[in-house]
Amino acid sequence: MTADTDKNDLIYMDVPEGRVVIRLRPDIAPLAAERIRTLSAQGFYDNVPFHRVISGFMAQAGDPTGTGMGGSELPDLKAEFTRDAKFLRGTLGMARTSDPNSANSQFFIMFEPSPHLDGQYTIVGDVIEGMEHIDKIKRGSGGSGMVKDPDRIKSMRPASAENA
C-alpha cells in the first residue's frame, strides 16, 4: 500500500486463504467504486460465493444467489468504460449482461491480462495485496466456469470501517 492511497478507497476482502486488499478506482469509475464501497459497508458480500471461476481468466463473485443472475436491490449502473486502464492480473472489473449499462453488484478479478475486455467492461479497482489468495480459489468446470460447492467471501468491508 502506498501512503497516498486514500483509506476510503481500500476494501478488505477475507477469503478462505487469507486477506485480499482492493484499491478502488473512483478516478475512472466513480459510480462503480461507490457501489462496491456501499455494498461492502452493508455486509452484502459476506458469505457470497465465487460462483464462476475460470483458470487463466478470472474469478467472479457478487451474486448472493450463486447463479450469476442475481444482484443487489440497487439500480443497475451506467457503464464507465475507459481506455486509460487495462485488464491486467489483479484488475477488478464489474460484471454485466450483454447490456453495457447492467452492472450491479457482481465483480470479477483477473488471473491474467485480458486485453479483449479493455474498453468493454468497467474497471473498478485492483488487488494490491493478497492476490496469492485469489489464485487459490476453487475453479469451476466447463466453458461457463460455474463452480460446484464454491469458495465464499468470508467478509468484505471498507478499510475505513475497520477499527471505526
Side-chain angles (χ1 to χ4, degrees), residues 9 23-30 33 84-86 123-126:
D9 293 331
R23 177 187 54 134
L24 297 176
R25 295 286 312 268
D27 57 317
I28 58 173
D84 295 336
K86 306 288 183 208
I123 292 174
V124 67
D126 304 287

Side-chain angles (χ1 to χ4, degrees), residues 107-128:
F107 61 87
F108 55 92
I109 300 171
M110 304 308 301
F111 291 124
E112 301 293 335
S114 292
H116 68 281
L117 299 180
D118 295 347
Q120 304 294 313
Y121 287 79
T122 299
I123 292 174
V124 67
D126 304 287
V127 172
I128 60 171

Side-chain angles (χ1 to χ4, degrees), residues 33-68:
E34 185 55 35
R35 175 65 52 90
I36 296 287
R37 191 182 297 113
T38 297
L39 292 175
S40 295
Q42 293 173 354
F44 176 86
Y45 293 110
D46 295 1
N47 202 39
V48 168
F50 282 94
H51 66 274
R52 184 172 177 243
V53 184
I54 302 173
S55 289
F57 184 39
M58 59 88 214
Q60 185 171 329
D63 172 10
T65 72
T67 65

Side-chain angles (χ1 to χ4, degrees), residues 68-79:
M69 305 298 287
S72 76
E73 294 181 2
L74 298 172
D76 288 347
L77 297 170
K78 181 177 147 290

Side-chain angles (χ1 to χ4, degrees), residues 83-140:
R83 289 278 182 186
D84 295 336
K86 306 288 183 208
F87 278 92
L88 306 172
R89 176 172 162 75
T91 298
L92 188 86
M94 294 298 288
R96 62 173 176 80
T97 67
S98 58
D99 175 357
N101 299 307
S102 63
N104 185 288
S105 63
Q106 293 188 47
F107 61 87
F108 55 92
I109 300 171
M110 304 308 301
F111 291 124
E112 301 293 335
S114 292
H116 68 281
L117 299 180
D118 295 347
Q120 304 294 313
Y121 287 79
T122 299
I123 292 174
V124 67
D126 304 287
V127 172
I128 60 171
E129 290 179 22
M131 191 61 198
E132 67 276 13
H133 305 314
I134 298 298
D135 288 335
K136 294 176 183 167
I137 290 172
K138 184 178 181 184
R139 302 304 198 262

